Amino acid sequence: MKAIRYHEVGGPEVLRLDEVPEPTPGPGEVRIRVEAAGVNFADTERRRGLYDATSPLPRILGSEAAGIVDGVGPGVDAKWVGRRVVALAPRSYAEFATTTEEELLELPEHVSFEEAAGLLVQGLTAWHLIHTSAQLQQGQRVLIHAAAGGVGLLAIQLAKQAGATVLGTVSSEEKAKLARESGADEVFVYGGTASVAEWVRTVTQGAGVEVVLDSVGASTWASSLESLAAFGHLVAYGSASGPPAAVEVETLYAKSLKVSAYWLRTPHPAALQRRAREALGSALAGGQLRVKLGLVVGLEEAAQAHQRLESRATVGKVVLRVP
Ligand SMILES: NC(=O)c1ccc[n+]([C@@H]2O[C@H](COP(=O)([O-])OP(=O)(O)OC[C@H]3O[C@@H](n4cnc5c(N)ncnc54)[C@H](OP(=O)(O)O)[C@@H]3O)[C@@H](O)[C@H]2O)c1
């Protein structure tokens, strides 16, 4: 089968379209004929050797796939064969990928494989940030950085559904427009003279926000802490601009702040993960949640997709269509 692998860490140019053996589903697993593979910022970090750096190379990239089940391993009900599904699935930048049966979410006919490929990594992250980590409540205010990105646009929609007021930060007017279209109440475009924290103070009449979701790290960390109201909660979940400064507990006392981290690969209670996945699946199918497809290219154009994602040139979801 065709697959995108990297043989050494480096820039987007290290991604190669290789011919590799097809995977076989093991016990409890299914094999998916991949129609669309989601691209995530973490894939670019993995390729650069900043994340998961101990994996042996060459390695097929990818972590989620939408497609059709074409085989099952021992112990899996054969009813799955032929069904349209989406799942967290490693090594999904390929024509076939395997995953466990419990990861499968069945897709109705009207949900496209491309949209579905944008649902799980970013949607589960957004869902757990809001419901599991921040436990965002009706009437609270949340500041979401990189608000027009894959996680960002989904987090805006889920935060609005939770009854929160949403403030977002982005790097361009085009991104600001998209964030507003997804429901953000106020959007800040970097680059002017005002700081994010000053802007937050202005739009919250001096109160600050109860929650900040920060995936940018180094360049936003200080303003994230400054933007919090008393007893506020900063949830870190990425470091697109580099790792944030170390947390000095002494600096948290003045406002009794809470700082936490969220990682999708932490083992989650199975029932909680199922609830999150099913909530996202039914919201997508029912039209209450939209996946904005910002860039859809062929599998062989994975390097271009990475280059655009890491140069901040994309909005919403980046997807590889698999032939
Ligand atoms: N913890 C977890 O389990 C988990 C899971 C999924 C994703 N993540 C993290 O969540 C973040 C968003 O992921 P995503 O896949 O949805 O990507 P994305 O938000 O679509 O793309 C990254 C965005 O980060 C912003 N950014 C700010 N400074 C940047 C810099 N120096 N270089 C590149 N981008 C920069 C850019 O938005 P602006 O141009 O608007 O600033 C860019 O569009 C990433 O940091 C990712 O690692 C974490």
Side-chain angles (χ1 to χ4, degrees):
M1 69 170 182
K2 291 187 172 51
I4 295 289
R5 296 198 298 182
Y6 60 114
H7 296 245
E8 57 188 339
V9 297
E13 69 285 352
V14 301
L15 298 182
R16 286 201 225 156
L17 185 65
D18 286 340
E19 198 66 41
V20 301
E22 291 177 5
T24 307
E29 290 185 339
V30 304
R31 187 170 85 165
I32 299 172
R33 179 161 60 72
V34 182
E35 297 279 341
V39 176
N40 292 286
F41 198 80
D43 301 340
T44 70
E45 295 179 322
R46 197 175 262 129
R47 192 212 66 228
R48 281 188 283 157
L50 302 176
Y51 179 64
D52 218 2
T54 53
S55 297
L57 301 182
R59 188 181 201 283
I60 302 174
L61 272 175
S63 50
E64 59 190 334
I68 295 171
V69 175
D70 88 326
V72 297
V76 179
D77 196 329
K79 72 172 189 197
W80 281 109
V81 175
R83 295 206 182 170
R84 303 173 85 245
V85 296
V86 62
L88 294 183
R91 294 174 285 281
S92 62
Y93 287 19
E95 290 180 290
F96 297 94
T98 57
T99 192
T100 57
E101 182 183 17
E102 58 267 25
E103 291 293 345
L104 296 175
L105 181 67
E106 192 164 357
L107 295 172
E109 285 295 328
H110 70 277
V111 172
S112 73
F113 290 122
E114 286 85 0
E115 281 173 282
L119 184 69
L120 288 180
V121 170
Q122 294 168 340
L124 286 169
T125 301
W127 195 94
H128 286 297
L129 285 168
I130 285 163
H131 296 296
T132 311
S133 292
Q135 301 184 3
L136 193 66
Q137 303 297 313
Q138 169 124 22
Q140 289 189 320
R141 290 159 291 217
V142 57
L143 173 64
I144 302 175
H145 293 297
V151 176
L153 289 178
L154 291 168
I156 292 172
Q157 296 173 68
L158 295 175
K160 288 307 294 177
Q161 286 164 16
T165 298
V166 177
L167 285 65
T169 72
V170 293
S171 65
S172 71
E173 287 298 342
E174 182 211 353
K175 290 186 176 189
K177 183 167 176 278
L178 268 173
R180 283 194 198 95
E181 283 168 6
S182 288
D185 298 282
E186 303 281 351
V187 184
F188 180 82
V189 181
Y190 299 117
T193 48
S195 76
V196 174
E198 279 168 33
W199 170 76
V200 168
R201 263 194 302 279
T202 306
V203 299
T204 61
Q205 286 85 42
V209 293
E210 285 80 10
V211 172
V212 179
L213 306 181
D214 193 337
S215 64
V216 175
S219 65
T220 47
W221 194 250
S223 62
S224 293
L225 287 169
E226 223 186 308
S227 299
L228 284 170
F231 298 96
H233 184 178
L234 165 53
V235 190
Y237 70 102
S239 45
S241 68
V247 177
E248 297 282 349
V249 175
E250 290 296 321
T251 65
L252 306 178
Y253 280 114
K255 290 194 283 182
S256 296
L257 299 181
K258 179 156 124 185
V259 175
S260 72
Y262 173 75
W263 196 30
L264 183 59
R265 288 175 64 186
T266 298
H268 291 49
L272 174 67
Q273 195 64 317
R274 204 174 311 117
R275 184 151 73 86
R277 195 169 39 232
E278 284 169 8
L280 290 166
S282 67
L284 182 68
Q288 297 89 7
L289 191 68
R290 287 184 312 123
V291 169
K292 165 74 185 168
L293 293 171
L295 179 68
V296 181
V297 295
L299 180 67
E300 66 289 354
E301 292 173 275
Q304 185 214 336
H306 273 217
Q307 189 276 328
R308 289 179 62 80
L309 181 57
E310 54 199 328
S311 62
R312 306 167 79 158
T314 61
V315 293
K317 185 66 184 179
V318 180
V319 169
L320 301 177
R321 195 182 288 120
V322 182

